[in-house]
């Protein structure tokens, strides 16, 4: 069981499901928009992410083992309660990782490629980062091993989470039963997450359980009167694989070279931050959206949550 890799085991299912969605869409039996070049970029990003993950796997595993050697408790992999506990704690960790990846530019640079497609289909789920290992987001999971969960147990649960999140990248499924929508992340919830509408920006960070978004104030339901528009605020308008993978890192580099004394802000400020306020931050995007709708008061707009999606280094 220690060698179980849910993602590897599920990969054939991923491919078959994408093919099935394409076929059903062509037959008019499912809602799904595929563009060949866009789909190829997603598949290539997925392959590149796997290769990049292998390149950093040794460091991640070694760090996890070292932390585990200094663990607080001995948690057995054979205990059912331990699997329930790691499920909840890993999912909570994923929520905060995902939120951090949207709210701070350094980690957004690693995550942004997942949001660059202007289509939303199962292939979008495979459009994964090449630079997550370098960005160090894996550090957020080390406390689980420090508590006492074996690194293999944590890795398996992370894989289960990724497998779960595959099926929610689709427009072919409407809404699930109300009780399911209340507890779990669903295609409806995740469509909101991938949308660039001001109302929807940077909402629904959930991995498996949507309850974290409800608890921490980042939940936004999908509204029938406002269809989702996908991509980022300033879309790339290119299928160049290297640009998709590295464009935000390059933008950060240009900003630092131009104004090195503001390097910390360029790196760790929210996406869209600039020292002179010439670019749109999340607050500015929210304020502009609310100002165009007099019936929405600033307080009500703020209550719907943050919208840090001025996602490139340049104005949206």
């Amino acid at each position: 069981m220690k060698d179980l890799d849910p993602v590897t085991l599920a990969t054939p299912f991923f491919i078959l499901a994408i093919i099935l969605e394409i076929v059903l869409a062509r037959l008019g039996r499912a809602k799904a928009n595929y563009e060949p070049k866009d789909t190829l970029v997603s598949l290539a990003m997925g392959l590149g992410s796997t290769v990049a993950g292998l390149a950093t796997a040794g460091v991640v595993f070694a760090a996890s083992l070292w932390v585990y050697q200094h663990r607080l408790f001995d948690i057995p992999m054979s205990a059912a309660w331990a699997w329930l506990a790691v499920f909840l704690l890993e999912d909570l960790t994923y929520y905060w990782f995902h939120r951090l990846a949207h709210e701070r530019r350094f980690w957004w640079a690693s995550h942004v490629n997942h949001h660059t497609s202007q289509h939303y289909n199962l292939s979008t789920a495979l459009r994964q980062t090449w630079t997550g290992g370098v960005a160090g987001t894996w550090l957020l999971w080390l406390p689980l091993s420090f508590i006492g969960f074996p690194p293999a147990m944590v890795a398996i649960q992370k894989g289960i989470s990724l497998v779960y999140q595959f099926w929610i990248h689709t427009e072919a499924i409407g809404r699930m039963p109300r009780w399911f929508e209340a507890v779990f992340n669903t295609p409806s919830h995740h469509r909101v997450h991938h949308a660039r509408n001001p109302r929807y920006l940077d909402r629904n960070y959930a991995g498996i359980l949507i309850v974290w978004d409800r608890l921490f104030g980042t939940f936004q339901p999908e509204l029938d009167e406002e269809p989702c528009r996908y991509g980022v605020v300033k879309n790339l308008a290119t299928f160049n694989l290297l640009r998709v993978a590295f464009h935000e890192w390059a933008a950060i580099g240009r900003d630092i070279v131009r104004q090195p004394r503001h390097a910390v802000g360029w790196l760790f400020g929210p996406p869209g931050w600039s020292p002179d306020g010439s670019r749109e931050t999340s607050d500015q995007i929210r304020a502009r959206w609310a100002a165009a709708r007099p019936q929405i008061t600033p307080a009500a707009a703020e209550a719907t949550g943050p919208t840090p999606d001025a996602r490139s280094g340049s104005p949206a």
Side-chain angles (χ1 to χ4, degrees), residues 40-267:
L40 286 174
V41 169
S42 294
L43 296 175
M45 289 300 300
L47 178 61
S49 179
T50 300
V51 173
L54 291 174
T56 57
V59 173
V60 175
F61 187 65
S64 299
L65 282 180
W66 184 85
V67 170
Y68 184 64
Q69 289 173 356
H70 299 82
R71 62 190 178 275
L72 298 176
F73 308 102
D74 288 313
I75 299 177
M77 289 184 66
S78 58
W81 67 264
W83 284 101
L84 176 60
V86 78
F87 163 69
L88 293 173
L89 291 174
E90 192 283 327
D91 203 54
L92 178 60
T93 301
Y94 181 88
Y95 169 86
W96 284 108
F97 142 73
H98 202 182
R99 186 167 176 174
L100 177 68
H102 277 253
E103 295 185 350
R104 296 296 147 186
R105 193 183 182 194
F106 180 82
W107 291 285
W108 172 248
S110 172
H111 182 64
V112 61
N113 55 75
H114 183 62
H115 286 265
T116 52
S117 176
Q118 293 177 248
H119 301 284
Y120 191 72
N121 52 57
L122 290 176
S123 75
T124 307
L126 306 183
R127 186 177 289 223
Q128 295 293 328
T129 181
W130 291 4
T131 57
V134 176
T137 51
W138 51 271
L139 292 167
L140 296 176
W141 277 265
L142 291 182
L144 297 181
S145 294
F146 180 65
I147 292 172
F149 293 102
M153 193 177 190
V154 176
I156 290 171
Q157 184 55 49
K158 287 178 69 177
I160 291 172
S161 178
L162 290 176
V163 171
Y164 178 91
Q165 291 176 60
F166 173 79
W167 77 279
I168 62 177
H169 289 82
T170 185
E171 293 186 292
I173 299 173
R175 288 180 177 84
M176 305 297 290
R178 183 173 297 181
W179 68 267
F180 197 92
E181 294 277 346
V183 177
F184 294 100
N185 200 5
T186 66
S188 177
H189 297 328
H190 207 56
R191 284 192 290 271
V192 167
H193 179 71
H194 274 259
R196 59 189 179 91
N197 313 45
R199 185 193 299 271
Y200 292 155
L201 293 175
D202 288 341
R203 312 300 284 165
N204 301 356
Y205 296 113
I208 297 177
L209 299 175
I210 199 66
V211 295
W212 307 123
D213 287 285
R214 297 181 185 277
L215 179 63
F216 296 115
T218 54
F219 175 71
Q220 168 64 51
E222 183 180 26
L223 303 175
D224 292 335
E225 63 269 24
E226 187 165 354
C228 295
R229 303 190 307 272
Y230 302 110
V232 291
V233 170
K234 186 174 183 180
N235 284 313
L236 293 180
T238 181
F239 296 113
N240 183 300
L241 189 62
L242 294 179
R243 188 176 176 195
V244 170
F246 301 113
H247 71 277
E248 187 63 10
W249 290 114
I252 291 175
R254 290 193 297 270
D255 287 334
I256 292 176
V257 168
R258 188 173 64 255
Q259 294 181 306
R261 65 193 181 97
H262 296 295
V264 173
W266 290 127
L267 280 168

Side-chain angles (χ1 to χ4, degrees), residues 296-311:
I296 301 177
T297 65
E302 183 64 26
T304 64
T307 59
D309 211 316
R311 287 317 188 194

Side-chain angles (χ1 to χ4, degrees), residues 2-64:
K2 293 181 180 181
D3 297 325
L4 176 66
D5 181 358
V7 175
T8 299
L9 293 175
T11 297
F13 163 77
F14 294 163
I15 302 303
L16 290 174
I18 290 171
I19 294 172
L20 179 62
E21 188 177 52
I22 292 172
V23 171
L24 291 177
R26 292 288 180 89
L27 295 174
R29 303 297 296 274
K31 182 180 179 181
N33 293 314
Y34 278 83
E35 202 284 333
K37 290 183 179 179
D38 180 80
T39 301
L40 286 174
V41 169
S42 294
L43 296 175
M45 289 300 300
L47 178 61
S49 179
T50 300
V51 173
L54 291 174
T56 57
V59 173
V60 175
F61 187 65
S64 299

